[in-house]
Amino acid sequence: MARFIGLKPFPALPVIEFETAGGLMDLHNMADLGDLIISPQRSTLTIRFVHYGKLRGSDAESHAVELEFGEIRDLKMELPADYEPRAAETLEDIAHREVSGQSYFDIDMGDVKCTLAAETLTLRVSDVDCPKDGHPS
């Protein structure tokens, strides 16, 4: 089973809210999708978001949030033939399932869908204000 770092493991149901030490983090209603980064050398898939709203213990109005899937295998991505980038501006949900002792994640970002096996899932939050383009200032 995958190790969850910075968030609690979640059930085998699609989720949009992740339980962290700072409380629930809604990456569907309170965040915009920024970047999707595949790093073959590091064997990671990183999804970057801009999370809007205050988090406990922070004065920033928005935060850079990353979900990093580590030690990935079996990555499959789907884009429709008529792919429109604006149709992938939000996280629809992530489901976690175990198959023969391996953790698989199904990630739905609208027009972009991914399935992968991963050894780790890490949630990172940067306590900096982020403009609409999703990159910290």
Side-chain angles (χ1 to χ4, degrees), residues 38-90:
I38 300 168
S39 176
Q41 286 188 337
R42 293 182 49 229
S43 188
T44 60
L45 170 75
T46 303
I47 306 170
R48 289 186 180 155
F49 300 88
V50 175
H51 184 271
Y52 299 100
K54 298 231 182 225
L55 299 176
R56 184 170 45 183
S58 172
D59 292 329
E61 295 293 327
S62 58
H63 300 78
V65 174
E66 290 184 348
L67 282 177
E68 181 180 270
F69 297 86
E71 299 175 51
I72 64 171
R73 295 173 310 288
D74 297 331
L75 174 63
K76 295 174 184 74
M77 296 184 73
E78 291 180 37
L79 293 172
D82 62 346
Y83 171 67
E84 169 56 48
R86 288 175 294 184
E89 290 184 348
T90 188

Side-chain angles (χ1 to χ4, degrees), residues 1-136:
M1 178 163 153
R3 287 181 301 127
F4 290 77
I5 303 163
L7 71 161
K8 291 191 177 180
F10 47 90
L13 300 170
V15 296
I16 59 170
E17 291 182 336
F18 301 90
E19 194 172 340
T20 71
L24 285 180
M25 178 168 290
D26 182 342
L27 292 179
H28 173 75
N29 297 301
M30 297 295 294
D32 288 334
L33 183 62
D35 298 312
L36 184 66
I37 303 160
I38 300 168
S39 176
Q41 286 188 337
R42 293 182 49 229
S43 188
T44 60
L45 170 75
T46 303
I47 306 170
R48 289 186 180 155
F49 300 88
V50 175
H51 184 271
Y52 299 100
K54 298 231 182 225
L55 299 176
R56 184 170 45 183
S58 172
D59 292 329
E61 295 293 327
S62 58
H63 300 78
V65 174
E66 290 184 348
L67 282 177
E68 181 180 270
F69 297 86
E71 299 175 51
I72 64 171
R73 295 173 310 288
D74 297 331
L75 174 63
K76 295 174 184 74
M77 296 184 73
E78 291 180 37
L79 293 172
D82 62 346
Y83 171 67
E84 169 56 48
R86 288 175 294 184
E89 290 184 348
T90 188
L91 175 70
E92 295 299 325
D93 60 56
I94 297 178
H96 171 241
R97 57 193 162 87
E98 287 190 48
V99 178
S100 301
Q102 304 248 341
S103 286
Y104 282 84
F105 295 89
D106 301 306
I107 309 160
D108 183 349
M109 296 172 279
D111 271 3
V112 179
K113 296 185 182 4
C114 300
T115 298
L116 57 92
E119 295 294 322
T120 61
L121 174 54
T122 303
L123 184 138
R124 292 186 193 91
V125 178
S126 298
D127 191 21
V128 296
D129 285 321
C130 293
K132 185 71 174 156
D133 69 6
H135 299 284

